[in-house]
Structures are given as structure tokens and as C-alpha cells.
Amino acid sequence: MTRIGFGEDLHALDRAGDHLWLGGVRLPMPFAAVAHSDGDVLLHALADAIFGALAAGDLGEHFPDAAPENRGRASRDFLAAAAALMRARGYQIGNLDATVQLEKPRLSPHKTAIAASIAQLLGVAPAAVSVKAKTGEGLDAVGRGDAVRAQVAVLLIKS
Ligand SMILES: [Zn+2]
């Protein structure tokens, strides 16, 4: 038995910031994600994909923006909750494929570290995690440098 899930997330970028969390990795950047939590757009999309594969609602239902306990919260907590629900329902990660869109700087040098971080957070083999990087091609909010976007597809396997 397998189940497929998809997650997408977008965060505005604040040029007053100096770092971006991506997949649990803190990257020095000339901006920061505007967010209630640490703004890790990739972990948000991944947690949403896992909740989606389980048909268990979305990240916002599990961790409401308005809840004070979620302010500044590490997004790895969100992923851990999604993974715990996945295991409780008898599933494990088969593989996941992620794309992060950021106009600049290029994320290519960080893809391996980000994928390794996600594999570690989920306790899966590195070969089960794909992280790809794209720009916004100068178009839309990502292309203008105003936002970062992540999209994740995940396959769950009944364990
Ligand atoms: Zn988010």
C-alpha cells in the first residue's frame, strides 16, 4: 500500500534579515523569510505533503498561525509531528522530491547539505531525498526576489 502527497509553501522575503532556514539548514542570506515560525518554507511544504499523503488536513490546521506557542517555533517540530502521525498510521517514507525556488543567490551549492539534513530529520537514507533548486526566471514574486517557494512530492509506503 502506497500513498502520495504534495505540499507547497511560499514566504515573503524581508531584506532586513540575514538568514534563511531551508530543510533545517540555516543559510546566511541578505534577507529572511517573513513568518510566524522560523519560516522554513521547505520543511513546511514537506510536512504539508506528509499530512496530505495521510489525508490528515494541512499544516495550518495542526499548527495555527495565531497560536502563541507556534511563534518563532522551529519548523523541525512541525515535520516531527507529521512524521509521528505517519508512523502511527503504519507508514514510512518511500522517497520525496522537492524543488525550492529562489531568485538569488543560487541554491545549487547548498542542495546536498539540505537533502542530508532532511534525510537526517526523517531518519531515512540520503538516496530517498531529492532536493532541486530553481529560480523564478525573473517572473512573479520569486523572480522579483520578493519570495521563496517550495514544492514537495512524497511517497509513503505501508511498513
Ligand atoms: Zn510556511
Side-chain angles (χ1 to χ4, degrees):
M1 176 77 175
T2 58
R3 298 185 66 98
I4 192 167
F6 176 75
E8 173 162 335
D9 196 31
L10 176 83
H11 281 266
L13 297 176
D14 176 0
R15 289 182 178 78
D18 64 0
H19 70 278
L20 189 65
W21 285 96
L22 279 178
V25 179
R26 189 186 194 278
L27 299 170
M29 293 280 173
F31 45 71
V34 177
H36 197 70
S37 66
D38 66 11
D40 193 321
V41 69
L42 181 48
L43 291 192
H44 294 179
L46 173 54
D48 235 6
I50 293 172
F51 284 130
L54 298 168
D58 59 39
L59 189 63
E61 288 172 46
H62 291 271
F63 297 98
D65 262 10
E69 69 269 23
N70 294 331
R71 177 171 290 281
R73 191 158 176 179
S75 296
R76 63 184 61 204
D77 288 359
F78 304 155
L79 180 62
L85 182 63
M86 171 186 76
R87 293 186 193 104
R89 295 203 180 171
Y91 285 89
Q92 59 184 346
I93 301 284
N95 74 297
L96 68 93
D97 184 20
T99 298
V100 182
Q101 284 181 273
L102 183 71
E103 195 63 12
K104 63 181 181 186
R106 297 297 170 105
L107 289 173
S108 306
H110 306 295
K111 287 189 295 188
T112 305
I114 292 169
S117 169
I118 290 173
Q120 195 210 340
L121 289 171
L122 286 171
V124 301
V129 179
S130 160
V131 174
K132 310 191 299 298
K134 291 175 73 71
T135 70
E137 298 290 341
L139 301 168
D140 74 22
V142 172
R144 289 192 302 272
D146 291 335
V148 58
R149 176 186 288 119
Q151 295 166 312
V152 179
V154 66
L155 191 71
L156 305 188
I157 299 173
K158 196 88 177 182
S159 37

